[in-house]
Amino acid sequence: MSFGQGGPYGPGGSQTPDWSALADTAARDRRRKWLLFGGGAVAAAAIAAIVATAVIVSDDGGGDKNATRLPSPAQLPSESAVPEPTFSDVDPPAPISPLEVIADGKKDTAPITAAGLFPGDQAVISGRSYTKGAVTSTKDCGSVAQKALHPALTGNGCRQVVRATYTRDGIAVTVGVAVFDTKAAAERAKEAAGPFLATLPGAGVDRFCANTACRSTSNAIGRYGYFTTAGHTDGSPVPTSDTKVRQAGLDVAGHAFDRIMQRATTQASAAATTD
């Protein structure tokens, strides 16, 4: 087969390629490439070694001023440099409660006076205002108690009775706070109590509840008993249906309770401060 002039393998037509020559040429090209590659790799390895050596030498020489350096073990602070806190094995005493104070005459040592128990000119209970009249204090407990209240006080070792009278809207209430040595004695007096605490006129309040029906209450807290007698200021009897007199007696009894608890709280706070 003839390709004619200008065939792929030169002028003059068809020729057979020299495969051996082509193979030798390809082999030489491959060897050249491998030599170039190998030489480059060797050169790169040598450069890396030089750089590594330079870094090591620079570090040994301390040339890198910004490098972070850890202190030697001798420079680290000792764990025992700061003393550890210590704690006592003894628990602090529990704070004394107000009720504990007023249950025991040995702890309830503040002076007991009419001005201390019933200060000011008025008492406001649940929004209702009462005007204070006369106040007094006596250690002769029997002298201010009538009928069943008399043996209740004297038979249980009453030490003192402080009285005050409060008025509101034609109603007068005398309240008496009786002081005993112990809580048990005050409780016995409350259970045995009956009519009447003697009323206390004066300071603009006429005598009331004299030989007429009135209302009375009795209660106790701590070593204190507190009792009331309530009636009309005009001396008229109090029927059982009279809710206003009943409310006034309860209000003034509640005021006495608040004043006793205020006394207890003040002493308990003072004891906690001095411990």
Side-chain angles (χ1 to χ4, degrees):
M1 181 176 180
S2 175
F3 290 94
Q5 183 70 30
Y9 300 111
S14 160
Q15 295 184 2
T16 301
D18 188 348
W19 299 111
S20 298
L22 291 174
D24 292 340
T25 300
R28 285 194 300 273
D29 290 342
R30 284 195 299 272
R31 283 195 299 273
R32 187 180 300 110
K33 291 178 179 180
W34 279 111
L35 288 172
L36 290 173
F37 177 79
V42 171
I47 292 171
I50 292 170
V51 172
T53 301
V55 171
I56 293 171
V57 171
S58 175
D59 186 65
D60 288 342
D64 189 357
K65 302 300 184 181
N66 295 324
T68 301
R69 299 177 61 85
L70 293 176
S72 64
Q75 295 174 317
L76 292 174
S78 171
E79 292 183 359
S80 61
V82 178
E84 295 183 359
T86 58
F87 302 94
S88 173
D89 294 332
V90 180
D91 293 332
I96 190 171
S97 73
L99 289 177
E100 185 180 350
V101 170
I102 58 171
D104 187 348
K106 294 180 180 179
K107 297 177 181 178
D108 181 25
T109 57
I112 302 172
T113 64
L117 277 177
F118 303 114
D121 296 327
Q122 289 186 328
V124 179
I125 304 99
S126 300
R128 293 179 288 273
S129 179
Y130 292 80
T131 300
K132 188 177 75 174
V135 295
T136 188
S137 177
T138 181
K139 294 184 179 179
D140 184 3
C141 299
S143 66
V144 298
Q146 301 173 355
K147 298 185 178 180
L149 184 59
H150 185 283
L153 297 184
T154 58
N156 287 287
C158 174
R159 296 286 185 180
Q160 181 181 358
V161 175
V162 180
R163 288 183 299 162
T165 294
Y166 291 89
T167 60
R168 170 184 166 86
D169 295 338
I171 299 171
V173 183
T174 293
V175 57
V177 175
V179 185
F180 299 87
D181 288 335
T182 64
K183 177 181 178 180
E187 289 289 339
R188 288 194 301 269
K190 180 194 76 171
E191 295 300 325
F196 278 129
L197 176 74
T199 58
L200 178 64
V205 180
D206 293 333
R207 187 181 180 191
F208 63 101
C209 290
N211 300 316
T212 188
C214 285
R215 295 188 66 94
S216 64
T217 67
S218 60
N219 216 320
I221 182 71
R223 69 186 188 111
Y224 296 88
Y226 53 103
F227 312 91
T228 67
T229 300
H232 296 294
T233 56
D234 62 4
S236 61
V238 178
T240 57
S241 60
D242 193 329
T243 57
K244 290 184 178 180
V245 172
R246 177 179 181 275
Q247 185 63 65
L250 294 176
D251 282 349
V252 176
H255 178 61
F257 171 84
D258 290 342
R259 295 305 307 159
I260 296 168
M261 288 306 300
Q262 180 61 53
R263 171 185 174 83
T265 301
T266 299
Q267 291 185 93
S269 298
T273 303
T274 57
D275 285 344

